[in-house]
Amino acid sequence: MKLIKSILGWLDDRSGFSDVVMPMLRHVVPDNARWWYVFGSATLCAFAVQVISGIALATTYVPGGEAAYESLLYITNEAPLGNLLRGMHYYGATAMVVLAIIHMTQVFLHAAYKYPRELNWMSGVVLLFVVLGMSFTGQLLRWDANGVWSVTVAAEMAGRAPLVGPVIAHAILGGETVGGSTLTRFFAIHVFVLPGLIFAGVGLHLWLVLRHGISEMPKVDEPVNPATYKEEYEARLEKTGVPFWPIAAWRDAVFSIVVMALIIGCALFFGPPALGTAPDPSDINANPMPDWYFWWYFAILSMLPPQLETFVILGLPVVGLLGLIVVPMFSNKGDRAPSRRPWAVGTVVFGFTALVVLTIYGYKKPWSPDFGVKPLPASLVASSDPAIIHGAELVHQKGCMYCHEVDGYGGHRGPGLSDIGQRLTQPELIIRINNGGYNMPSFAASLTAAELTDMVAFLETRSSSSVRKGSAPSGSHVTE
Amino acid sequence: MCKKENENFPCAADRRSFLNRLSLALAGLVGAAMSLPPIAYVLSPLLSKPRRKWRDVGGLGEFPIGETKLVKFQDATSTAWAGNTAMTGAWLRRIGEDQFIAFSVNCRHLGCPVRWVNDAKLFMCPCHGGVYYEDGAVAAGPPPEALARYPVRVVDGKVEVETSPIPLTTNDLV
Ligand code: FES
C-alpha cells in the first residue's frame, strides 16, 4: 500500500498531474448550468466509443476490394462479439451525430457562441462537418452493394463541379471507375485523416472551454457586452461558481452512462445494419440509399428541379458550413435569452421541422419506382370482362404501377390511379398514355393498339365508387 | 540597446531575425520534403489513366436481335485485389446482324444502376426516379442527359465492349 502510494506520489510529482491537470479539472464553472451542459461531454464519450470499437474492428477488417466484404461477413457472423462491435460502432456513430447536433442546438439557443466564445462555436461547426464526413466514409466501409453505389453517387456529385469536377471525381474513386483503389482511400480517410482532425479539433475546443470558461445560463437582464463581459463573468463566478470536478462533472458522468447504455443496448437488441449483397458494380439490382443521417439530403436531391440541382449539390455543404461558421460574426453581443431572440428560436424550429419532414420523405422515397409491386388481385379489379382483366394485368406488366398507385398497390412517383376513371375521359387517357406528360414517359412505342384499348378500359373502371365496391372483400389492402 | 539576458542569448537584432528566418525556411523545406511525395502519390491515379481495353462479353449467338441484355465485364483497372469491385455492367442490345448498342448502367443523374424494364421498353433508375426510353433518351425524372454508350465491336463472332470511365455529367468522355 505504502509502496503504491509512494510510486503514485513520484509519478504525480514528476509528471505534474496535480500541478497542471487538476487545476484544469477543478476550474470554476457556473452553478446554474446543470443538465443543459451534458451534451458536449456525451459527444466526446461517443467519440471515445468510436475510437475504441473502431480500433478493434480494424484488427479484422480488410480494406481491400473483394476481401472487405468477406471480412465483414466474418466479423458479423463468425467472430466472437463481432456483431456487437459492429453494432457499437454504428450506434456510437449515430449517438455522436445526434449528440453533436443537440449540443450545437443548445449552444445556439442559449447564444453561448457570443463574445468571447466565437471560436468555440466555429471549431464546433468544423467538428460537426468532420463528424458527418466520418459517417459518410464509415457507411462506405460497410463495403456492400450499397457502399459501392454510394461512392459512385459521391463521385458523380463531385463531378458536377465545373472544370475540376472530373479530377475530384476520379480522386474520390481512385481512378476512372470503382475498383481496387477506391475502398482503400476511404479507409485511410476514415481511420487516419478524419480522426486526426477530430482529435485536433476536440483539443482546441476543450482548450477554449478552459480559456473562456463555461457560459452561464442566459438571463434576460444579462446581455453580453464585450467591454465588460469578462469582468462581470469572473465576478459572478467568484460569488456562485463551483469547481467542475467533482461538483458539476457527476452530471456528465451520469449522462454518459445513459448514452453508453443506449449504444450497447441498441447494439445488442437491434444489431448492426445488415450487410447488403456483394460489392459488385455490375449488379444492377442494387437500390442505393444513404444512412439515415443523409436522408434529408437525399430527399432534397430527389425533389429539386434539375436546373437548380448542380448548385445545390455543390453549394449546400459549402453554404451550410460557412453559414454556420459566420453566425458569431454577425451577432456576438447583446441578448442571450431565447425569449429575446425570436428569430433564433424560429430558425431552430424551422430547421428541425424541415429536417424531420425531409428525413421521413427521404425514407419513404415516393419518387422511386416500386420495382417490387405485386399484380392487382382479382378482388380489386372486380370485373369479369376479359378486356378489363387484361388491362389490369397490363397496368402491372408495363410498369405503370412502378410509379402509379392503384388502391394501395404500386409506387408514388406519379399521381394515383384509384379514381382515374373519374378524372380523365377515355380520349384523355389515350392521349396521356401515348404521349406521356410531365415526368411521364410516352408509351406509344411499347403498347399495341389492342393493349392500349384494354388498358384504358380497365382505367375507366377506376372511380371512387369502384374502390369501395372492389375493396370490400379485402379491405386491408387499401390501407397497406 | 539590446539587453543581454544571458551569455548565449543573441544580442544583435539582425542576427536574431536571421535565425528566425532561417529556421522558418528550413522548417518549411522539411515540411515540403515530407509531404509532397505522399500528396503526389495519393493523386497519382489522376495522372496515369489506364489504357482502355476491349472485353469479350459473349458470342454473337447469345444475343437475339432486338433483345436488351445485361452483360458484365471487367474494368480497365489492373489491381489484383479488386475482385468483383472491378466489374462493370452494360445493357447490350443487338440491333442488326453485327450492330450493337451498349448502354452504360450508370444513370446520368447521379450514377445509380438503371434497370431495363422490357415490357415497358424503358430504363428505370431506383434512386430518384429517372426514366429513359429504349434509345437511352431521358423520358422522365431528374437525369440531365441521355444514357451514355460504350463502344462495341464484333470480332470473330465475339461481341466486345470497350471499357470506359464512369460517365460524369461534366466529362463527355463517352
Ligand atoms: S441517380 Fe438515377 S435518378 Fe438519380
Side-chain angles (χ1 to χ4, degrees), chain A residues 11-291:
Chain A
L11 271 177
D12 186 39
D13 178 72
R14 302 303 192 274
S15 67
F17 185 81
S18 291
D19 289 347
V20 180
V21 181
M22 280 319 283
M24 290 189 194
L25 286 173
R26 291 223 184 85
H27 74 276
V28 180
V29 301
D31 68 336
N32 60 5
R34 303 193 170 242
W35 291 103
W36 277 107
Y37 290 12
V38 295
F39 302 112
S41 60
T43 313
L44 189 59
C45 168
F47 178 57
V49 172
Q50 292 311 88
V51 172
I52 298 169
S53 58
I55 291 175
L57 287 170
T59 58
T60 352
Y61 180 76
V62 183
E66 204 166 36
Y69 186 68
E70 298 295 325
S71 69
L72 279 164
L73 286 176
Y74 170 78
I75 294 172
T76 313
N77 303 327
E78 286 175 55
L81 297 181
N83 206 46
L84 174 72
L85 268 173
R86 264 197 68 211
M88 281 173 71
H89 205 63
Y90 176 75
Y91 293 105
T94 301
M96 206 172 158
V97 173
V98 171
L99 288 166
I101 289 175
I102 296 178
H103 177 50
M104 179 164 152
T105 309
Q106 181 264 319
V107 166
F108 181 74
L109 278 177
H110 288 174
Y113 58 80
K114 292 193 175 183
Y115 179 88
R117 303 186 181 83
E118 298 96 329
L119 199 56
N120 300 44
W121 168 268
M122 295 175 188
S123 57
V125 170
V126 173
L127 276 169
L128 177 70
F129 274 75
V130 179
V131 168
L132 289 177
M134 282 300 269
S135 349
F136 181 68
T137 51
Q139 183 199 333
L140 296 186
L141 296 195
R142 197 164 68 234
W143 193 233
D144 54 10
N146 202 25
V148 167
W149 289 108
S150 302
V151 181
T152 311
V153 170
E156 292 274 352
M157 285 184 176
R160 292 281 182 108
L163 298 175
V164 288
V167 175
I168 303 177
H170 293 156
I172 288 175
L173 294 173
E176 297 181 322
T177 50
V178 172
S181 314
T182 311
L183 178 62
T184 38
R185 6 195 90 213
F186 280 96
F187 181 75
I189 293 172
H190 186 79
V191 305
F192 297 116
V193 181
L194 297 182
L197 286 178
I198 294 185
F199 274 111
V202 167
L204 174 65
H205 205 64
L206 288 180
W207 157 247
L208 291 171
V209 169
L210 288 174
R211 175 162 164 77
H212 299 298
I214 289 179
S215 75
E216 300 145 295
M217 285 296 282
K219 293 211 184 85
V220 175
D221 54 352
E222 282 175 10
V224 176
N225 176 3
T228 55
Y229 178 82
K230 282 195 175 178
E231 271 166 51
E232 290 169 4
Y233 175 78
E234 298 293 335
R236 284 194 296 262
L237 277 201
E238 195 99 325
K239 257 195 263 163
T240 59
V242 293
F244 172 73
W245 185 269
I247 309 288
W250 69 270
R251 288 195 180 84
D252 295 273
V254 169
F255 190 69
S256 288
I257 281 283
V258 174
V259 169
M260 267 322 303
L262 278 174
I263 292 175
I264 294 191
C266 286
L268 283 174
F269 290 111
F270 303 120
L275 282 179
T277 48
D280 180 348
S282 68
D283 173 10
I284 46 95
N285 287 317
N287 192 351
M289 176 111 183
D291 276 1

Side-chain angles (χ1 to χ4, degrees), chain A residues 456-472:
Chain A
V456 170
F458 164 72
L459 291 174
E460 279 191 285
T461 65
R462 295 297 103 185
S463 67
S464 40
S465 59
S466 83
V467 173
R468 256 171 269 127
K469 196 173 64 201
S471 62

Side-chain angles (χ1 to χ4, degrees), chain A residues 332-395:
Chain A
N332 82 329
K333 54 178 189 282
D335 280 310
R336 284 187 55 208
S339 60
R340 291 287 182 88
R341 296 165 56 242
W343 282 101
V345 178
T347 307
V348 169
V349 171
F350 174 78
F352 271 88
T353 314
L355 201 65
V356 169
V357 170
L358 285 171
T359 300
I360 294 174
Y361 226 62
Y363 171 68
K364 288 198 179 153
K365 304 207 297 177
W367 51 82
S368 276
D370 177 359
F371 292 109
V373 60
K374 303 254 178 342
L376 285 169
S379 61
L380 276 183
V381 180
S383 171
S384 51
D385 182 339
I388 292 178
I389 294 176
H390 184 224
E393 281 166 16
L394 285 170
V395 166

Side-chain angles (χ1 to χ4, degrees), chain A residues 321-338:
Chain A
L321 178 68
L322 293 182
L324 284 171
I325 284 188
V326 299
V327 163
M329 295 187 192
F330 285 105
S331 78
N332 82 329
K333 54 178 189 282
D335 280 310
R336 284 187 55 208

Side-chain angles (χ1 to χ4, degrees), chain A residues 153 309, chain B residues 107-114 125-132 141-143:
Chain A
V153 170
E309 199 169 57
Chain B
C107 179
R108 291 314 289 276
H109 178 224
L110 291 174
C112 289
V114 295
C125 176
C127 284
H128 319 101
V131 184
Y132 304 83

